[in-house]
Amino acid sequence: MKKPGETSMIKVLRRGKEHEYNINLKPVKPHVRVQQYYKRPSYYIFGGFVFVPNHNLSESEEQHVIISEILEDDINQGYESFKDLQVEKVNKVKVKNLRHLFELIEENGTQNLSIDLEDDKVLVLNYESAKKADSIILKRHNITSAISNDLTRPSN
């Protein structure tokens, strides 16, 4: 029940001897970002792959993006093991953050989309087929949008 900045006496038992220490309490920064219930999560769904920022890292221009979930469909069959992998590149362009990934995919000028992941894994999807599958996948899972609201607004 002590607060940061206060001193606390602790007892430690080492090799059968009791030791007493006075320690100054400091606030602890969490290693994992605490869920903010008032803030909706950022996400982008393409081809049934749910891309999210890795919240173990600080919010910045540079932000790792992972595949947090795979909503099963014929379009992503065979890629079930790609869950929880970090996205590195889209069509050979290094991904900076979730918004950048969204822009790279949405502005794709090729028929096939290549997404390089960690562990030298590559995800290849036909862009038009994946876009068509998205509407079916979203309806099946009762998801209203493939894009979180924060990605639909212009970046600062």
Side-chain angles (χ1 to χ4, degrees):
M1 302 303 295
K2 299 245 182 206
K3 296 180 179 96
E6 292 182 351
T7 301
S8 181
M9 194 271 294
I10 62 167
K11 292 181 181 182
V12 178
L13 185 62
R14 281 195 188 139
R15 296 184 185 147
K17 278 186 137 182
E18 191 175 279
H19 301 273
E20 291 184 3
Y21 298 96
N22 286 314
I23 60 167
N24 188 18
L25 300 175
K26 295 179 182 173
V28 177
K29 290 184 181 181
H31 293 290
V32 177
R33 192 168 147 195
V34 177
Q35 174 64 39
Q36 298 175 347
Y37 293 101
Y38 54 87
K39 183 179 177 188
R40 294 185 182 260
S42 292
Y43 69 91
Y44 172 57
I45 301 171
F46 179 76
F49 294 91
V50 182
F51 299 98
V52 298
N54 183 348
H55 290 299
N56 293 341
L57 302 171
S58 63
E59 288 185 38
S60 66
E61 185 74 22
E62 292 287 322
Q63 177 187 67
H64 293 186
V65 176
I66 61 169
I67 297 173
S68 72
E69 201 63 49
I70 302 171
L71 307 173
E72 290 184 29
D73 188 75
D74 290 342
I75 194 75
N76 55 42
Q77 190 172 18
Y79 291 118
E80 297 83 9
S81 66
F82 285 21
K83 184 178 179 216
D84 296 326
L85 292 180
Q86 181 180 317
V87 178
E88 294 178 351
K89 296 178 183 175
V90 172
N91 288 342
K92 306 296 179 202
V93 178
K94 186 176 184 316
V95 173
K96 297 176 190 173
N97 54 40
L98 183 60
R99 179 180 295 277
H100 188 227
L101 172 105
F102 163 70
E103 291 168 352
L104 289 171
I105 292 175
E106 291 299 315
E107 297 166 3
N108 176 51
T110 62
Q111 183 177 3
N112 288 324
L113 185 73
S114 173
I115 302 174
D116 294 356
L117 306 170
E118 66 180 307
D119 298 335
D120 295 321
K121 294 192 178 187
V122 180
L123 168 64
V124 178
L125 294 171
N126 177 280
Y127 181 81
E128 292 301 323
S129 298
K131 282 306 237 182
K132 287 177 186 172
D134 278 340
S135 60
I136 296 165
I137 293 167
L138 294 175
K139 188 174 183 177
R140 183 183 309 135
H141 292 276
N142 200 24
I143 300 170
T144 56
S145 177
I147 309 158
S148 60
N149 288 340
D150 62 316
L151 295 180
T152 60
R153 294 187 298 267
S155 60
N156 297 341

